Amino acid sequence: MVQLTAKHPHLSIYSVSRIKILLVSALVLLFISMLLSFKVYTKLMISATPIQHSVNYDAPIIQSIDASIQKQGQSNSRSLLHNKQSANRLPKYTKSMAATAIRKVDWICGDEEPMTSNPNRPFIVFVHIYKTAGSTLREFFASYAYICNKALMLLVGCTGVKSRVLKSTNNWDSCRLKYTQYSNGNEYIQESDEMNDDEVRIYPTVNTTIIQSNFDILTGHYRIGLLDSTPLNTRHVVFFRQPLERYVSSILYRAKEQSLHKKETIEDTAQYIKDRVFDSRKRGDYLESVFKYILTPIQVEETRKKKSTTAEKTNIAINNLVNYNPIVGFTETFQDSMLILEHALLPNEFSSEGREERLEEIFDAYVEEDMSDTTNTTASDNEEEGDDMSNYIDTRKNLSIMGSISTSSVVAELKKDDRFMPIITEFLKYEQMVVDFALKMHRLQYDMVMQSNDEEDR
C-alpha cells in the first residue's frame, strides 16, 4: 500500500483500500455467477431424466404413474407423486368398462323418422385432437351420416367456448360452424361455410339448442363434455397419437400452412424443434396441448383460477377418460381402431339391406387405410346412393409434410441426439402419461371386440 501511494501520491490509503475491496467483491460475484450457472445446467439435465414410454399394464395404473414420476426425481410437492390423495382417486379401467364403451349404437341406420324429437337419444361426439388423423375421421363420419341418414355438424376452433355459454341459448361465438349435413325429409342437404353469400344457410350459427334439437353426430375441435348440460345420451370418440410424433407433426403442419420457420433440410428442422423445446424447458414448461381437448370447459376455467400444475391437470384428464369412457383409437393402430368403431357404430337395425352393405364397404375401406405417416382419407361430396366406393373414398396426401421432410424423418433425426432426447422426453412426459392410460383403454376395448366377435362365430 505504501508503494502504491508512493507511485500515485494523489491516492490516499483510504482510496486504495476501497479499490482492493471492490476487486475482491468483483471476484466473489464472478465466482457466485459461475456456480449458479452450473447449478441451473445441472438441474435442467437432472430433470430431463427419461421416463418409460409405456405403462406396465400388469400393474395398477396409479403405481405405474407414480413410478414414472419417481424416476424423474421430482421435488415439487404438488406433483402427482406427492399428491397422494389426488393420485389415489384415479380409478382403474376394467374389461366391463371397455365392454360398455364398445356397445352397439342404439339407432336404426337409414331411419326415415328423425330421432331429434327424443331428448335422451343416442348422440355421437367425435373430439378431434390436433394431428391425430382427425381429417380422415371427420370424413368417415360424414360418409357414415350420409348412408345412415343422420344429421352431422362439424365445428372448428371451439376449444375456447365458455361453460356459461354452453348452459344458455346464446350462440357459441368463439366457434366456427364449418359444415352441416342433414335430411329435410325429401333430400339430404349439405351446407358449408364456403357457400356463396347469396345462398341461405339453414344453420348459419351454433348453440346448445340447435345441436340438441337437430343433430345426431358432432365432430371437430372442441373439449370433451361440451354437451354435458343437455339430456342427450352422448358417446365420445377420441383418437390419440404418441406425443413425440404428434408434436413434430404439428410443427411441420403449421410451418407448411403459415410458411413460418420453414426449413430446407431435415437437420435444420430438427434443430429448430430442439431450440423450441430447450427454451420451453428453461422456463420450466411442459407440453399441455392435449388438455385443450380432454379437460371440460368448466375444468379449464377452474384450473386457470386455481393455477393448477401440469401434474394436477394430468390427474383430471385421466379421470375424464375413465368417467366419459370414450371409444379410444390411435393413429399408430388405425386399423384396429376402425375395427372398434365398426363394432360400436354398425347398428343392429338397418332400413334396408343396401344401406347395411354400403356401410360395411365404408368400414372395410377405412380399416384398410394406412396412417403410418402421410396418407389420409377423405369422403367426396357425391350424394348418389347407388355409387360404388370410389365415389365415397379418395386417398390423398395431406398431413405434416414439407416437401421431403416428413414427421418420421424428423423424429428419426431427433433420436440421433442422445443428449436432447431426455430433455424432450421430460417436456412431453405429462401428455405421455395421458396417452399411456388411453392406450390401456384402447387395448382393452380392442380385446373386448375380438372376444365379442369370437362369441358370435361360435
Side-chain angles (χ1 to χ4, degrees):
M1 183 181 299
V2 173
Q3 294 177 353
L4 183 62
T5 54
K7 292 181 179 180
H8 303 279
H10 61 282
L11 293 176
S12 66
I13 294 176
Y14 176 73
S15 299
V16 173
S17 298
R18 290 189 63 185
I19 292 173
K20 284 190 172 183
I21 292 172
L22 290 173
L23 288 173
V24 171
S25 299
L27 290 172
V28 171
L29 289 175
L30 179 61
F31 176 76
I32 293 174
S33 176
M34 294 174 63
L35 181 62
L36 289 175
S37 298
F38 176 77
K39 285 186 176 181
V40 169
Y41 175 79
T42 304
K43 183 178 180 181
L44 180 62
M45 294 307 295
I46 291 175
S47 67
T49 304
I51 64 173
Q52 295 179 351
H53 275 271
S54 61
V55 174
N56 177 7
Y57 295 103
D58 296 328
I61 186 67
I62 304 307
Q63 294 180 11
S64 300
I65 293 177
D66 277 354
S68 296
I69 297 176
Q70 194 169 18
K71 194 170 182 181
Q72 300 304 319
Q74 290 285 346
S75 59
N76 184 351
S77 63
R78 301 181 70 189
S79 70
L80 281 173
L81 176 63
H82 297 284
N83 191 357
K84 288 292 185 180
Q85 182 179 2
S86 177
N88 289 334
R89 287 200 298 268
L90 285 174
K92 297 179 183 179
Y93 191 73
T94 64
K95 290 184 178 181
S96 62
M97 297 174 72
T100 300
I102 66 166
R103 70 191 185 281
K104 287 191 174 295
V105 63
D106 186 20
W107 62 28
I108 301 174
C109 179
D111 191 358
E112 299 300 330
E113 294 294 329
M115 298 178 62
T116 51
S117 59
N118 178 9
N120 304 115
R121 70 187 183 279
F123 195 98
I124 302 299
V125 180
F126 168 53
V127 179
H128 176 186
I129 296 177
Y130 188 59
K131 304 312 298 176
T132 57
S135 298
T136 297
L137 291 160
R138 288 186 336 203
E139 298 296 348
F140 158 76
F141 279 109
S143 298
Y144 178 94
Y146 171 64
I147 292 175
C148 286
N149 196 35
K150 302 300 177 184
L152 175 143
M153 176 181 285
L154 167 60
L155 299 175
V156 294
C158 207
T159 57
V161 63
K162 304 296 184 183
S163 61
R164 56 178 173 78
V165 175
L166 298 174
K167 298 176 183 179
S168 70
T169 58
N170 296 334
N171 291 335
W172 302 355
D173 293 333
S174 60
C175 299
R176 175 183 165 198
L177 176 52
K178 186 174 179 63
Y179 180 83
T180 57
Q181 58 183 62
Y182 56 92
S183 174
N184 66 358
N186 298 317
E187 60 179 333
Y188 200 75
I189 300 172
Q190 296 172 320
E191 298 178 347
S192 75
D193 59 357
E194 298 177 355
M195 294 172 61
N196 298 326
D197 294 338
D198 57 346
E199 296 182 273
V200 178
R201 294 179 65 181
I202 302 299
Y203 302 106
T205 187
V206 59
N207 57 49
T208 303
T209 302
I210 288 176
I211 294 176
Q212 180 179 335
S213 304
N214 300 280
F215 290 89
D216 307 293
I217 302 173
L218 185 66
T219 69
H221 296 293
Y222 44 76
R223 298 185 184 277
I224 200 168
L226 192 72
L227 299 177
D228 282 355
S229 62
T230 72
L232 294 168
N233 182 17
T234 55
R235 295 183 61 183
H236 290 76
V237 178
V238 187
F239 270 58
F240 291 87
R241 188 177 185 179
Q242 287 301 319
L244 176 58
E245 283 72 14
R246 191 174 81 85
Y247 179 69
V248 171
S249 178
S250 67
I251 290 178
L252 294 179
Y253 187 76
R254 289 193 179 101
K256 181 186 72 171
E257 290 294 296
Q258 303 172 8
S259 298
L260 297 174
H261 312 297
K262 186 173 181 179
K263 306 301 179 182
E264 298 298 328
T265 67
I266 295 173
E267 293 76 12
D268 288 343
T269 303
Q271 186 58 53
Y272 170 70
I273 292 174
K274 292 177 186 180
D275 293 340
R276 283 176 59 102
V277 172
F278 191 74
D279 288 343
S280 295
R281 290 302 304 130
K282 283 196 296 185
R283 295 190 301 268
D285 294 341
Y286 291 92
L287 183 66
E288 295 190 2
S289 57
V290 73
F291 301 141
K292 289 176 60 177
Y293 308 96
I294 309 302
L295 266 59
T296 68
I298 193 169
Q299 287 171 344
V300 171
E301 295 162 12
E302 290 175 348
T303 54
R304 286 174 181 168
K305 184 183 300 182
K306 297 177 181 178
K307 297 182 179 179
S308 301
T309 64
T310 309
E312 289 167 337
K313 285 182 273 190
T314 301
N315 268 323
I316 297 172
I318 293 176
N319 271 292
N320 281 349
L321 289 178
V322 173
N323 294 333
Y324 285 94
N325 197 14
I327 296 172
V328 176
F330 269 78
T331 304
E332 289 84 357
T333 56
F334 190 79
Q335 295 177 344
D336 292 349
S337 302
M338 290 307 299
L339 287 173
I340 298 174
L341 274 182
E342 181 178 17
H343 179 87
L345 299 183
L346 202 63
N348 289 321
E349 294 186 69
F350 291 82
S351 62
S352 67
E353 292 183 3
R355 288 186 188 273
E356 182 175 7
E357 292 174 356
R358 287 165 41 230
L359 190 58
E360 289 177 346
E361 290 175 346
I362 285 284
F363 277 110
D364 289 344
Y366 279 90
V367 166
E368 295 172 0
E369 215 29 59
D370 178 13
M371 299 300 300
S372 57
D373 194 26
T374 59
T375 305
N376 201 0
T377 315
T378 181
S380 72
D381 293 332
N382 193 292
E383 296 182 16
E384 297 299 325
E385 291 191 8
D387 291 348
D388 60 22
M389 283 306 301
S390 62
N391 290 323
Y392 291 113
I393 307 299
D394 174 44
T395 302
R396 62 186 173 88
K397 300 288 184 180
N398 171 42
L399 282 177
S400 51
I401 183 168
M402 299 189 302
S404 61
I405 303 179
S406 65
T407 298
S408 58
S409 64
V410 175
V411 169
E413 182 66 25
L414 292 174
K415 288 183 176 180
K416 294 178 182 178
D417 190 339
D418 293 337
R419 296 183 63 187
F420 171 72
M421 286 308 296
I423 296 175
I424 194 170
T425 300
E426 175 72 7
F427 175 61
L428 302 172
K429 77 171 183 180
Y430 287 108
E431 180 162 325
Q432 188 71 56
M433 292 176 190
V434 175
V435 170
D436 285 345
F437 190 88
L439 184 58
K440 177 183 180 180
M441 296 176 65
H442 170 68
R443 288 172 172 171
L444 282 177
Q445 290 177 8
Y446 179 78
D447 289 345
M448 296 309 295
V449 168
M450 295 298 101
Q451 179 179 321
S452 177
N453 291 343
D454 289 342
E455 291 174 353
E456 292 177 0
D457 294 338
R458 290 173 187 170

